[in-house]
Amino acid sequence: MDRPYLEALRIPSLSVGLYELPAGSEDPQRPHREDEVYYVLQGHAVLRVEGEDHPVGPGSVVLVRAGEEHRFREITEDLLVLVFFAPAEST
């Protein structure tokens, strides 16, 4: 992937895409205006949400509410995450 996030689907009520971060990289995310669900397809990391750490690996599902500070950290294996925004992110 040339970009870390690649949107695959967008309708007014939902956006879905793939988020890819290489091992050892830093996650540049900022809080979003939409609720967001992460489903980890591959890799291992820690997702910090509002100061609380959530270890994640394949099969992990984490909800991040709109406006919450969040970021993947300690990315020990290349991370590939399916991301759902509801409603779809404003462009």
Side-chain angles (χ1 to χ4, degrees):
M1 251 185 239
D2 293 335
R3 298 173 294 170
Y5 183 74
L6 177 64
E7 186 175 65
L9 170 76
R10 174 182 290 272
I11 58 174
S13 60
L14 178 69
S15 171
V16 179
L18 288 173
Y19 192 45
E20 184 175 38
L21 293 165
S25 67
E26 292 192 24
D27 183 2
Q29 289 193 82
R30 296 185 181 158
H32 308 286
R33 294 182 300 212
E34 303 79 18
D35 288 338
E36 182 177 17
V37 173
Y38 290 107
Y39 178 75
V40 178
L41 298 170
Q42 73 178 41
H44 288 90
V46 173
L47 178 59
R48 179 169 282 178
V49 180
E50 292 289 306
E52 185 176 332
D53 287 342
H54 304 271
V56 296
S60 295
V61 176
V62 181
L63 170 66
V64 177
R65 296 277 183 194
E68 289 184 332
E69 188 72 38
H70 63 288
R71 178 166 286 113
F72 286 100
R73 309 175 43 204
E74 302 174 31
I75 303 168
T76 58
E77 295 178 15
D78 292 351
L79 197 59
L80 183 60
V81 182
L82 189 58
V83 184
F84 301 84
F85 287 100
E89 264 192 314
S90 303
T91 54

